[in-house]
Amino acid sequence: MGHALNNTLQDILIRWKRMQGYAALWVPGTDHAGIATQNVVERQLAKEKVTRHQLGREKFVEKVWVWKEQYGSTIVRQLRRLGASCDWSRERFTMDEGLSRAVQTAFLELHKAGLIYRGYYLVNWCPRCQTALSDEEVVHEEVKGHLWYIRYPFVLSMSKGESEGVVVATTRPETLLGDVAVAVHPEDGRYRSLEGQALLLPILKRTLKIIRDPMIDREFGSGAVKVTPAHDMNDFLLGQKYGLEAIRVILDDGRMGDQAGPYAGLDRFECRKKILLDLESQGLLVKTEDYHTSIGHCYRCKTVIEPTLSPQWFIKMQPLAKLGIEAVEKDGTRFIPDRWTKVYLDWLRNIRDWCISRQIWWGHRIPAWYCKKCYPAYVQERQSKPLSSGTAFNEKEAGIVVAAAGEAAPSQGSHAGIRCPRCGGEALVQDEDVLDTWFSSWLWPFSTLGWPEQTKDLSTFYPTSVLVTGQDIIFFWVARMVMAGKFFLRQLPFRDVYIHGIIRVEGGKKMSKSLGNIIDPLEVIDRIGADALRFSIAHMTSEGQDLYLSENKFLLGRNFANKLWNASRLIIEGSDQRPGEPLPSNPRLMTVPDRWILSRLQGITSEVTEALGAYRFNDTAKRLYQFVWHDFCDWYLEIAKLQRESPEKGIVHNTNWILHALLERTLALLHPIMPFLTEELWHLMGAGSPDATLMKAAWPEPEPAWKDPQAEQVFERLQMAITEVRNIRATFRVPPKEKVKLIVRGSSGLDLLSQHQSIILRLAVVGEMTLGASAQRPEGAIVSHLPAQDGFDAWDLIVPLTGLVDLAVERKRIQKEMEELETRARSKRSRLEDSTFRSKAPAEVVAEEEDSLRELDAELSKWKETLKQLN
RNA sequence: GGGCGCAUAGCUCAGCCGGUUAGAGCGCUACGCUCACAUCGUAGAGGUCAGAGGUUCGAGUCCUCUUGCGCCCACCA
């Protein structure tokens, strides 16, 4: 459903712009979703009791390709069924040849610019996927846990008693095994006496340093922190600052390593339990508190992330973030709605380096080569050194070469002509890792157009106009595309970023595969059609708000599609007139309804165009809905039926011409939202040449000549009169087929009614109409006062219902009407008596209020008169 | 800890720059299978715009606070 929303909005824009005559390009495609895809295929294999390692890298990747072909075609099929008007000949995939070349080029360019480095650093590690993750791939979730207070005894207890030492508080006792120090705040009075002391790590009996750093919060826990540089970010920073050793006790698979001593081999959470038991038995567990803390989870498998020291590839983000910030601050990239600008900027301003290497097989291999001899030695040496020696590797000393995997490479995993920069040896092996999927996605706006080649597509279509996407990938994708565009092409990838809401279900939950609360758009399309789905979606897409879906929201689109179809059928089957035929030369034969509907049409044309230009999709849909259903069908079409029966040939001709013109233009206006139905109807009505398509027809322009405020005003008066009569009929339960008499009393403007007598007779089911300034009100007749407005005097609409009427009902009706009027008049009067209102409010507002009070009073006196007569 | 969004009719939501009587769809009520459409037509009922204070001649709309719900970010053990 999220895809349906996203692609519907994109398709509306692209179809609209195409009709406006632009070369509108929409490149379809998919990314390879590295970790997610690999997981799916691994799960499939698990059913066959095979692991990817048993299969081997090459065979495994082949399997993934097979799966990708299936899944990719599913996505494409969904897009087609939705009606997405992509350029299918340009379909791309992040792992296809061209995009892979772009990825390699990007890596090499960044490396050359000094923005890519390999480093030994604390990363987010998923023990289940067994790969490093970027910060964005970690989902923090509030978890109920505990805060354990553990006593670390002094090494020499000299004069101090057995129970002395320092109590530290921790949420992860198992990391104790990797502790190398205890830290306190330098000005914390409680720990002043620790000078010259050393602490003893429980269980392992290692000697721990005591360090003093202002970073420590005295208020938290006991004010003393255990320091585990290999498994905690803050501790890692302390380690760098104070030159601590990093001891990895938790291995890649989440089990405890040899360094964990007696716990080696245990799962990290098993180890936690056992350590707590052991501490307790040794009297070192001081107390346990309930504690809510937020813990990072893998965004793909929800496993608790283990911060782990690990050699990985990183991108220096500072310089790139600067480009991203400038994009909105200086270069005019625009978020819609605007509030996302702040979210985007905040992220860029606090950005950390991007870990781009992943320990999986499905993805782009990293174009880096390691000397078989020098590299392992270098890494081992680094691991034994204190952390103060820096994060990034020295590539020359480490025996690392970053180079294109040239065509000359004789076989997988080796590289001809490249030597180790340290020892000069030729035994180099390619990095086993692949790149983060987003490292290819962030190139999408230009990689899909042929970059790094200077193609015609690239110069024609880059930069693009608009990106339509969800808020959930502003960091993952949007911000990175902006940076990449600016860095690699010196030009921003798009101007507008339209951020639509997220599809949710009741309770505000995200609709997602893993929650199993999906509404399948294909199933909806099966039932009600793609156009109905698309119209419903557009109708509920208010600027950037999340969308809560339920079944009956689709009813709107379904019913509307049905309405459009039936109205079109009436028009098309009612005459074989073609819209191309000109209007008769005698414009005097244009009726008020004719002029009214054409005026409305030209109004709606500019309104819809404006709404689309402002990304107001719901506004677009609502205006079209209102126009088609109510103006067009309820009123004009009903009147057109009468006009088609006119003895005046010119009127019949005009009516048919207008109906066709209306329909043709309405179909065009609706086409971006409802492409299938409108295309079909457009052909059925014979618009355009037989081989033409509405998809490429011109977008309707407002016809200034059709603008006719006077006709709109007059017609609205007619509508009011008809509605008023219907109202009386309904109130007094006049059977629908029963024709009533209508008497209209008024001093002027009544010719409007006589001219449109047949319309009134039909639409209000009136048998006989009498007009006049002094028309008499028969005994027992119902009266309704139509107030003066828009250049019309007040009228009395009189419907004689002698013998049919319950006078009590009529009295009640009048009293209710009068009460409302009185309330309004009272508030206006008090307002007008307020001198500040008169002096401060704009003159036109005051005048309006005065006019409207006068009218109210006039109406009231009329009703009073009526009531008197009735009594 | 920081930030954002939402609270308007029974339900789901519109309401752009503050200005006559706050709108829609669904649901509901009454009547109607009138020759495009019962996925329909005509008419109607239904709202102290979350609460408090403020700015203003005037507040659903702007400001402050409060309450409730939802979301995002976060290297407080």
Side-chain angles (χ1 to χ4, degrees):
Chain A
M1 219 45 230
H3 289 164
L5 165 67
N6 180 252
N7 290 306
T8 295
L9 300 185
Q10 294 194 67
D11 197 47
I12 289 171
L13 293 175
I14 207 92
R15 284 180 185 273
W16 172 49
K17 284 294 168 186
R18 188 183 298 123
M19 288 175 81
Q20 281 192 329
Y22 292 93
L25 174 66
W26 183 9
V27 178
T30 46
D31 69 34
H32 59 280
I35 299 174
T37 307
Q38 171 150 338
N39 282 353
V40 171
V41 177
E42 280 191 77
R43 241 176 282 138
Q44 278 183 352
L45 286 177
K47 281 182 200 152
E48 302 160 23
K49 307 245 189 273
V50 184
T51 70
R52 69 173 155 117
H53 297 281
Q54 289 168 331
L55 211 59
R57 184 165 191 149
E58 211 168 314
K59 283 246 166 69
F60 177 76
V61 169
E62 269 172 34
K63 287 241 174 204
V64 182
W65 272 107
V66 170
W67 185 86
K68 179 265 160 189
E69 295 303 333
Q70 276 174 18
Y71 187 70
S73 65
T74 302
I75 292 178
V76 167
R77 204 176 65 242
Q78 288 175 342
L79 276 171
R80 285 179 187 271
R81 288 211 58 198
L82 189 67
S85 60
C86 303
D87 183 338
W88 300 105
S89 71
R90 284 178 164 89
E91 188 184 339
R92 304 308 297 267
F93 177 58
T94 46
M95 295 258 290
D96 68 25
E97 211 188 313
L99 270 66
S100 297
R101 198 159 49 239
V103 164
Q104 182 170 289
T105 306
F107 188 97
L108 296 176
E109 278 195 19
L110 283 167
H111 184 262
K112 201 171 154 196
L115 294 181
I116 283 190
Y117 64 91
R118 186 160 178 83
Y120 190 53
Y121 198 72
L122 203 74
V123 295
N124 308 297
W125 184 267
C126 174
R128 203 221 58 86
C129 301
Q130 297 210 28
T131 178
L133 299 171
S134 68
D135 294 339
E136 291 68 41
E137 290 167 317
V138 177
V139 188
H140 288 87
E141 268 166 41
E142 189 90 342
V143 169
K144 264 194 247 178
H146 300 280
L147 191 58
W148 287 283
Y149 289 75
I150 302 167
R151 182 182 308 283
Y152 284 26
F154 290 117
V155 171
L156 301 169
S157 2
M158 307 281 275
S159 60
K160 301 184 171 77
E162 277 286 297
S163 64
E164 291 297 321
V166 170
V167 174
V168 301
T170 182
T171 55
R172 295 192 300 154
E174 70 280 11
T175 62
L176 167 158
L177 301 166
D179 282 2
V180 295
V182 167
V184 297
H185 193 277
E187 283 146 38
D188 193 331
R190 289 172 291 180
Y191 301 111
R192 199 156 290 153
S193 64
L194 290 182
E195 208 57 56
Q197 290 277 7
L199 293 167
L200 200 60
L201 181 65
I203 300 167
L204 293 185
K205 311 288 184 202
R206 192 186 300 139
T207 303
L208 304 178
K209 280 188 198 168
I210 292 170
I211 57 181
R212 296 168 187 279
D213 193 278
M215 183 179 129
I216 308 303
D217 179 3
R218 277 175 280 183
E219 307 300 317
F220 190 91
S222 61
V225 190
K226 57 191 272 317
V227 181
T228 324
H231 294 291
D232 182 277
M233 181 50 77
N234 278 320
D235 296 358
F236 175 76
L237 295 175
L238 285 174
Q240 284 190 315
K241 196 165 168 184
Y242 297 99
L244 303 175
E245 191 191 351
I247 302 173
R248 261 192 85 180
V249 290
I250 303 169
L251 303 181
D252 288 352
D253 61 355
R255 289 176 183 280
M256 307 308 290
D258 292 343
Q259 297 271 29
Y263 306 95
L266 281 182
D267 172 78
R268 56 189 165 147
F269 296 116
E270 286 301 315
C271 173
R272 174 180 299 179
K273 285 183 199 159
K274 190 147 192 299
I275 278 200
L276 285 168
L277 285 174
D278 292 347
L279 288 171
E280 191 155 29
S281 67
Q282 292 173 32
L284 295 173
L285 185 59
V286 179
K287 68 172 170 177
T288 304
E289 283 176 359
D290 285 339
Y291 187 65
H292 289 258
T293 187
S294 144
I295 292 182
H297 296 78
C298 172
Y299 80 139
R300 285 302 173 210
C301 72
K302 300 293 169 226
T303 301
V304 173
I305 290 299
E306 193 60 50
T308 301
L309 207 48
S310 165
Q312 301 287 344
W313 287 98
F314 296 88
I315 297 183
K316 264 185 209 161
M317 292 308 287
Q318 237 28 279
L320 293 173
K322 192 164 162 273
L323 300 178
I325 292 166
E326 281 171 7
V328 296
E329 287 188 341
K330 287 210 289 243
D331 305 334
T333 296
R334 190 165 71 107
F335 279 85
I336 300 129
D338 181 51
R339 71 182 123 96
W340 296 110
T341 309
K342 187 174 156 12
V343 175
Y344 165 91
L345 286 175
D346 285 350
W347 183 75
L348 284 173
R349 286 182 179 131
N350 298 309
I351 201 162
R352 294 194 292 156
D353 286 355
W354 175 14
C355 175
I356 51 171
S357 42
R358 298 288 177 276
Q359 288 64 53
I360 57 174
W361 289 348
W362 177 237
H364 299 99
R365 283 287 285 271
I366 295 171
W369 309 77
Y370 304 128
C371 173
K372 280 182 175 171
K373 203 173 79 197
C374 303
Y375 180 74
Y378 181 86
V379 173
Q380 194 160 24
E381 189 194 340
R382 278 298 294 269
Q383 285 174 352
S384 60
K385 272 192 193 164
L387 293 170
S388 47
S389 47
T391 302
F393 284 0
N394 180 320
E395 288 177 14
K396 204 170 167 186
E397 288 177 25
I400 299 174
V401 180
V402 169
E407 295 78 20
S411 66
Q412 174 82 355
S414 67
H415 197 302
I418 288 206
R419 291 165 175 274
C420 169
R422 183 170 180 176
C423 71
E426 286 183 39
L428 280 84
V429 59
Q430 187 173 6
D431 192 320
E432 290 291 318
D433 294 350
V434 301
L435 289 162
D436 182 358
T437 302
W438 299 101
F439 189 91
S440 45
S441 304
W442 76 330
L443 311 174
W444 188 264
F446 42 92
S447 64
T448 54
L449 296 175
W451 186 86
E453 256 44 79
Q454 285 302 319
T455 60
K456 188 151 182 295
D457 270 6
L458 191 63
S459 55
T460 306
F461 294 110
Y462 191 90
T464 72
S465 309
V466 59
L467 174 76
V468 176
T469 194
Q471 54 194 259
D472 49 338
I473 49 178
I474 289 177
F475 307 146
F476 278 117
W477 201 35
V478 181
R480 285 172 179 161
M481 281 193 286
V482 172
M483 292 186 277
K486 197 71 194 285
F487 181 81
F488 294 111
L489 279 93
R490 311 268 173 262
Q491 230 177 346
L492 295 170
F494 30 72
R495 184 190 65 242
D496 290 353
V497 181
Y498 178 84
I499 303 288
H500 60 243
I502 289 179
I503 302 265
R504 295 178 190 284
V505 293
E506 274 172 27
K509 286 267 185 280
K510 211 156 130 180
M511 185 179 288
S512 76
K513 276 168 251 169
S514 49
L515 290 172
N517 55 8
I518 301 260
I519 295 180
D520 178 4
L522 290 184
E523 188 269 327
V524 176
I525 290 173
D526 284 341
R527 272 197 346 264
I528 65 170
D531 284 349
L533 172 71
R534 292 169 59 117
F535 192 87
S536 301
I537 284 175
H539 190 267
M540 58 183 143
T541 302
S542 63
E543 194 175 89
Q545 287 306 333
D546 291 349
L547 288 80
Y548 290 76
L549 281 193
S550 65
E551 191 50 45
N552 74 21
K553 286 193 172 176
F554 297 122
L555 251 44
L556 177 100
R558 182 196 68 163
N559 295 353
F560 183 66
N562 185 59
K563 190 76 178 176
L564 182 67
W565 178 263
N566 282 306
S568 303
R569 218 157 43 92
L570 172 70
I571 294 166
I572 295 165
E573 288 169 6
S575 102
D576 51 7
Q577 183 138 5
R578 293 290 166 263
E581 295 173 30
L583 273 171
S585 52
N586 189 353
R588 281 191 302 111
L589 291 176
M590 294 273 281
T591 65
V592 167
D594 291 343
R595 287 161 52 205
W596 167 75
I597 197 67
L598 288 178
S599 187
R600 290 287 298 125
L601 174 64
Q602 75 82 33
I604 210 77
T605 303
S606 49
E607 284 167 22
V608 163
T609 307
E610 194 201 326
L612 281 174
Y615 303 104
R616 294 200 313 264
F617 297 99
N618 59 337
D619 223 17
T620 305
K622 274 175 186 181
R623 281 167 196 275
L624 285 166
Y625 182 96
Q626 159 71 30
F627 175 73
V628 169
W629 201 301
H630 300 298
D631 294 341
F632 191 170
C633 293
D634 289 349
W635 287 97
Y636 188 72
L637 221 39
E638 292 305 318
I639 292 168
K641 286 180 195 168
L642 285 171
Q643 293 189 166
R644 273 178 165 178
E645 290 162 12
S646 166
E648 176 69 69
K649 276 265 163 42
I651 287 185
V652 177
H653 180 87
N654 270 3
T655 304
N656 283 325
W657 187 89
I658 289 170
L659 283 173
H660 279 83
L662 258 179
L663 182 59
E664 187 185 6
R665 281 160 187 268
T666 304
L667 290 175
L669 291 172
L670 278 167
H671 183 261
I673 306 182
M674 311 181 93
F676 293 105
L677 199 48
T678 52
E679 186 77 60
E680 178 71 9
L681 288 167
W682 196 72
H683 286 280
L684 282 179
M685 75 180 292
S689 58
D691 56 345
T693 161
L694 175 57
M695 181 163 67
K696 292 183 184 170
W699 181 252
E701 293 286 332
E703 300 273 356
W706 288 353
K707 189 173 170 141
D708 194 339
Q710 198 241 345
E712 292 200 35
Q713 213 174 70
V714 168
F715 188 77
E716 274 164 30
R717 183 70 175 183
L718 190 59
Q719 285 178 305
M720 283 181 75
I722 290 169
T723 303
E724 202 54 45
V725 175
R726 286 168 168 174
N727 188 321
I728 291 171
R729 298 180 56 104
T731 307
F732 295 97
R733 304 267 184 278
V734 179
K737 283 177 189 163
E738 176 96 17
K739 290 186 177 169
V740 296
K741 280 189 185 171
L742 173 64
I743 301 162
V744 183
R745 193 161 53 193
S747 53
S748 70
L750 294 178
D751 50 335
L752 168 67
L753 300 177
S754 53
Q755 276 162 20
H756 298 95
Q757 171 149 338
S758 58
I759 292 173
I760 295 164
L761 298 192
R762 173 74 72 92
L763 297 191
V765 198
V766 168
E768 184 186 316
M769 187 166 76
T770 314
L771 307 173
S774 55
Q776 286 305 300
R777 173 181 179 278
E779 195 72 16
I782 305 306
V783 178
S784 202
H785 303 297
L786 214 53
Q789 46 142 185
D790 291 342
F792 283 94
D793 288 333
W795 294 344
D796 295 336
L797 302 181
I798 302 165
V799 180
L801 292 175
T802 319
L804 293 166
V805 183
D806 182 348
L807 287 182
V809 175
E810 170 69 338
R811 218 171 273 128
K812 222 161 142 190
R813 190 177 74 105
I814 293 174
Q815 273 158 3
K816 199 176 159 197
E817 181 79 19
M818 288 177 73
E819 269 167 39
E820 273 176 31
L821 292 172
E822 270 161 12
T823 314
R824 281 168 50 199
R826 216 175 300 126
S827 79
K828 277 194 198 307
R829 199 163 286 121
S830 74
R831 215 163 155 209
L832 283 163
E833 280 162 7
D834 184 346
S835 60
T836 29
F837 171 70
R838 286 186 168 283
S839 58
K840 297 248 178 144
E844 33 181 279
V845 173
V846 177
E848 268 171 34
E849 287 289 282
E850 278 173 340
D851 282 355
S852 122
L853 178 62
R854 245 195 313 278
E855 278 160 22
L856 284 174
D857 283 339
E859 253 183 281
L860 264 168
S861 64
K862 283 209 161 197
W863 280 117
K864 217 176 277 174
E865 180 68 19
T866 305
L867 195 60
K868 212 163 85 188
Q869 284 176 24
L870 198 65
N871 289 336

